Amino acid sequence: MPSPPVPRIGALLQGARNAITDVAGVLVGHRTLDAGAIQTGVTVIRAHAGDPFRDKVPAAAVVLNGFGKSLGLVQLAELGVLETPIALTNTFCVGTVATAQIRHCVAANPECGRSLPTVNPLVFECNDGFLNDIQRLAVTEADYLHALESAGSDFAQGSVGAGRGMSSFQLKGGIGSASRCVPAPDRRRHTVGTLVLANYGRQAQLVLAGDPVGARLAAQAAAAAQEPEKGSIIIVVATDAPLDARQLRRLALRAGAGLARTGSVLGHGSGDIVLAFSTACTVPDRVERPMPAIALLHEELLDGLFQATADSTEQAILHALWHATAVTGRDGNHRAPLAEVLARLPSFAPARTPA
């Protein structure tokens, strides 16, 4: 039986790619490691093609549940800007990837840490240890550089990059992305794009486009349904709307609405973190360079962006599940993709139309 099409979330117009790279200038690259017990990788998101240490972008993060080992959030909360690309990887390789970010910045800015300030590396993680032999510390600095240098507007989703070894709802998880467009006061439109690293959820709680399908799946595999929540999700939200760090934090919080629609209860063992950034301006690194003069969006005009964030987050999670392929890794552990199990469940009836 063929798998059903991906349901479309919400009524807002989606971007041309239906991905985070519909926000102009945003690029995504992967490095996937697929070798027996090694099922892992790294994913890099670039806010623009230039040097983020010299030309920073406004950003903010929220921690929905803090069971995580991400690096760089303290300075991000204080200063409200990104100064490296955003990196996603597995829990034990955060340090390696951060070192790679520092070396890359120093190579481009030899006075970093001397006459210039130190750089704030930004690395997010999920634990892929069910499928990946995480103790092998397989991700290298060269893997980060490969993902960085290969970043482009078109990129794969599913069991790729940092998503290679991830699991969601006792199924195969991974990388997913989506975008939504919102009318703007000047008759143009603003775009919100989301990328997720999905590695969370108990199967019995899974909701797909309004259908609580997880309960029926769990009934078919009662033992698997008893696994405790011990995963995570990283959500990255990009927009071209002119927002400052305070407004971006408000935007990031709305990703939690989209996450909740899929059945997440932000379980005890789940690290659920959202980062939001705007490409509408850049902030210079040197005091002698002029600061941007930009008219911020009025607070009363944010509701459309909030809706776009919630919808694109839910859609990105569905894309992570739909695009994932089966993976067998450490000790023969296996995760089947959602499409495979839905094909055996003819009662699936999404409340929304196919994308």
Side-chain angles (χ1 to χ4, degrees):
M1 180 182 298
S3 60
V6 185
R8 188 186 191 284
I9 303 303
L12 291 174
L13 181 69
Q14 63 190 39
R17 298 180 182 87
N18 200 10
I20 193 172
T21 50
D22 286 323
V23 178
V26 176
L27 305 170
V28 175
H30 302 299
R31 178 65 163 174
T32 304
L33 305 182
D34 171 14
I38 301 300
Q39 302 291 331
T40 192
V42 59
T43 294
V44 174
I45 304 167
R46 302 183 67 177
H48 57 71
D51 185 341
F53 184 69
R54 297 176 185 172
D55 295 294
K56 312 172 196 299
V57 298
V62 295
V63 178
L64 302 176
N65 192 65
F67 204 117
K69 289 82 177 171
S70 298
L71 189 150
L73 292 176
V74 173
Q75 182 171 311
L76 175 65
E78 183 69 23
L79 300 185
V81 292
L82 298 180
E83 52 186 43
T84 66
I86 303 155
L88 312 175
T89 191
N90 75 63
T91 306
F92 281 2
C93 290
V94 168
T96 298
V97 172
T99 298
Q101 288 186 324
I102 294 169
R103 291 191 200 278
H104 185 264
C105 181
V106 169
N109 303 275
E111 286 300 303
C112 176
R114 292 179 175 170
S115 64
L116 296 177
T118 56
V119 67
N120 182 52
L122 187 63
V123 188
F124 295 97
E125 56 77 33
C126 292
N127 181 356
D128 59 10
F130 179 77
L131 291 172
N132 173 51
D133 186 355
I134 199 169
Q135 293 184 357
R136 299 267 291 273
L137 304 177
V139 175
T140 67
E141 293 182 39
D143 293 323
Y144 168 80
L145 293 176
H146 176 95
L148 178 69
E149 292 164 2
S150 66
S153 298
D154 297 311
F155 61 96
Q157 299 182 46
S159 307
V160 295
R164 178 64 190 177
M166 302 300 171
S167 305
S168 274
F169 301 99
Q170 285 89 57
L171 302 167
K172 186 66 191 72
I175 297 288
S177 193
S179 68
R180 293 294 184 267
C181 302
V182 181
D186 56 7
R187 298 186 180 180
R188 296 181 300 173
R189 65 188 187 194
H190 294 308
T191 300
V192 174
T194 299
L195 183 144
V196 302
L197 179 61
N199 188 58
Y200 74 101
R202 298 184 65 240
Q203 190 166 104
Q205 296 169 331
L206 175 61
V207 178
L208 295 178
D211 184 348
V213 65
R216 300 195 297 281
L217 292 176
Q220 293 183 343
Q226 301 307 311
E227 291 184 25
E229 169 66 90
K230 53 185 178 182
S232 298
I233 185 169
I234 304 300
I235 304 171
V236 179
V237 180
T239 185
D240 54 14
L243 306 179
D244 63 13
R246 180 188 59 78
Q247 293 173 313
L248 286 165
R249 186 180 187 280
R250 298 190 70 199
L251 198 70
L253 280 169
R254 273 61 185 186
L259 174 61
R261 292 176 192 166
T262 67
S264 171
V265 296
L266 312 180
H268 161 70
S270 185
D272 309 309
I273 302 174
V274 188
L275 169 76
F277 67 90
S278 170
T279 63
C281 69
T282 58
V283 179
D285 65 327
R286 307 298 287 270
V287 67
E288 59 267 23
R289 295 174 61 198
M291 288 289 286
I294 185 170
L296 298 175
L297 206 62
H298 193 282
E299 301 295 312
E300 293 188 9
L301 298 176
L302 293 180
D303 277 348
L305 297 177
F306 292 166
Q307 181 73 53
T309 301
D311 288 355
S312 63
T313 298
E314 184 181 5
Q315 188 77 74
I317 292 168
L318 296 194
H319 285 168
L321 293 169
W322 245 270
H323 289 298
T325 54
V327 171
T328 300
R330 179 182 65 82
D331 297 333
N333 290 341
H334 179 78
R335 289 299 192 200
L338 175 66
E340 179 182 309
V341 298
L342 284 183
R344 302 193 297 268
L345 194 71
S347 59
F348 174 60
R352 288 124 184 172
T353 57

